[in-house]
Amino acid sequence: MDIFYLDKVNSTNSYAKENFLSFKDKAIIIASAQTNGRGRYDRKWVDFGEGNLFLTFVLKPSGEFRQIYACLTQYLSVVLYNVLQDYGLLPSIKWPNDVLINNKKIAGILCESVMIKNKFQGLVLGIGVNLNAQKDDFDLVKDREVTSLNVELGREYEDKKLFTEKLLNTFFRHYDDFLCSGFVLIKDDYTKACDFLGKVISVKVFDKRVSGVAKRIGDFGELILDDNNKEITLTMGDIL
Ligand code: BTN
């Protein structure tokens, strides 16, 4: 596995896209700092300093785009869930791919397709994990409650290298199987991590709001709500 360490970039995902052809499949890009970290729906990913992880996987599965690639963010959320459990924490996953501890977001995941001349080339799968932050830093994020690994463990500093090794090893342990089987490979683990199931929730889908009881996760990672005995299937959105 090729790992590229960068000092400062605008965004590891942007860098990976711009230089996509120069990387081999499964290359890893890690930056010490991001000046323009990006999140889902054009949100920003705030940089809490170099003790935190900003990492992008360059993935080049063969052939055309397949629907299961859209579930890679959910695959990575389960990977992170397992790694955090190994630290003795009790994480949860908020559909589709936010990983939380005590309801506070500790990581964000962003997957983007790379197209050249209308041809699918592969994906860049980025993850930001708050590993080392101070509680005061969290005020920089206005729209949600956030946390970090060191704060949750009550420690001064977490070893970023060790965490990164655990994350990469866990990711690649089942990545090839995931490409063969798709979401069903992780469906049980993913479902167990979703502590909102059975509760009444609201989901923002673009500018609409959909509410209902979160009933189950489908075979393709979709969220199925029950609205007065009518099933609503969501493939994108944000739980409010
Ligand atoms: C989200 O929660 O909306 C997704 C945030 C993804 C942030 C990571 S940090 C590494 C990679 N580079 C980026 O610009 N974004 C992702």
Side-chain angles (χ1 to χ4, degrees):
M1 178 196 327
D2 292 335
I3 306 184
F4 298 88
Y5 294 95
L6 309 171
D7 282 341
K8 193 192 258 189
V9 282
N10 51 358
S11 140
T12 52
N13 268 31
S14 302
Y15 182 88
K17 283 203 285 188
E18 282 153 22
N19 299 284
F20 195 77
L21 295 179
S22 66
F23 295 116
K24 289 194 199 133
D25 181 29
K26 301 181 182 171
I28 307 295
I29 295 154
I30 297 174
S32 301
Q34 284 193 137
T35 53
N36 189 24
R38 297 182 292 106
R40 293 166 66 226
Y41 305 117
D42 278 339
R43 286 191 287 243
K44 281 204 170 309
W45 184 255
V46 176
D47 181 332
F48 290 143
E50 69 173 322
N52 297 282
L53 184 64
F54 312 108
L55 181 151
T56 294
F57 296 84
V58 175
L59 302 173
K60 301 188 171 189
S62 57
E64 294 299 306
F65 181 83
R66 294 166 62 206
Q67 204 46 50
I68 62 163
Y69 301 152
C71 299
L72 272 166
T73 59
Q74 288 166 303
Y75 174 74
L76 182 50
S77 69
V78 171
V79 165
L80 178 61
Y81 176 93
N82 289 332
V83 170
L84 292 172
Q85 272 199 329
D86 283 352
Y87 279 84
L89 295 169
L90 282 174
S92 62
I93 295 177
K94 185 173 153 202
W95 184 87
N97 54 49
D98 278 348
V99 178
L100 314 178
I101 296 177
N102 296 324
N103 250 347
K104 297 175 194 160
K105 179 158 162 159
I106 192 166
I109 297 170
L110 176 70
C111 189
E112 300 172 273
S113 299
V114 181
M115 309 286 293
I116 296 179
K117 291 188 180 150
N118 276 337
K119 193 171 174 341
F120 173 71
Q121 306 288 323
L123 305 135
V124 296
L125 174 61
I127 180 166
V129 189
N130 302 334
L131 295 180
N132 289 294
Q134 303 301 314
K135 282 187 181 154
D136 292 350
D137 296 336
F138 299 152
D139 297 338
L140 295 168
V141 182
K142 305 281 178 223
D143 57 339
R144 62 207 318 161
E145 281 207 278
V146 295
T147 191
S148 64
L149 187 60
N150 69 317
V151 166
E152 290 302 321
L153 293 173
R155 291 187 195 151
E156 194 60 41
Y157 196 82
E158 277 308 312
D159 185 334
K160 180 167 149 183
K161 189 167 176 281
L162 183 69
F163 180 90
T164 307
E165 272 168 22
K166 286 177 193 274
L167 186 81
L168 295 179
N169 289 338
T170 314
F171 182 88
F172 285 115
R173 196 171 301 144
H174 297 296
Y175 170 70
D176 291 325
D177 298 338
F178 180 81
L179 289 187
C180 293
S181 314
F183 186 77
V184 287
L185 183 80
I186 55 158
K187 184 179 168 184
D188 286 351
D189 290 346
Y190 183 89
T191 299
K192 275 185 213 139
C194 291
D195 61 3
F196 59 86
L197 289 174
K199 297 183 183 155
V200 176
I201 58 166
S202 291
V203 184
K204 187 171 179 282
V205 186
F206 298 112
D207 52 356
K208 277 195 181 158
R209 181 191 276 241
V210 185
S211 300
V213 178
K215 210 170 164 191
R216 63 192 157 84
I217 303 294
D219 283 351
F220 303 99
E222 69 277 31
L223 170 61
I224 297 158
L225 300 183
D226 180 310
D227 177 23
N228 291 317
N229 295 324
K230 195 181 89 207
E231 279 199 350
I232 305 172
T233 301
L234 298 177
T235 55
M236 57 172 57
D238 252 342
I239 297 181
L240 296 168

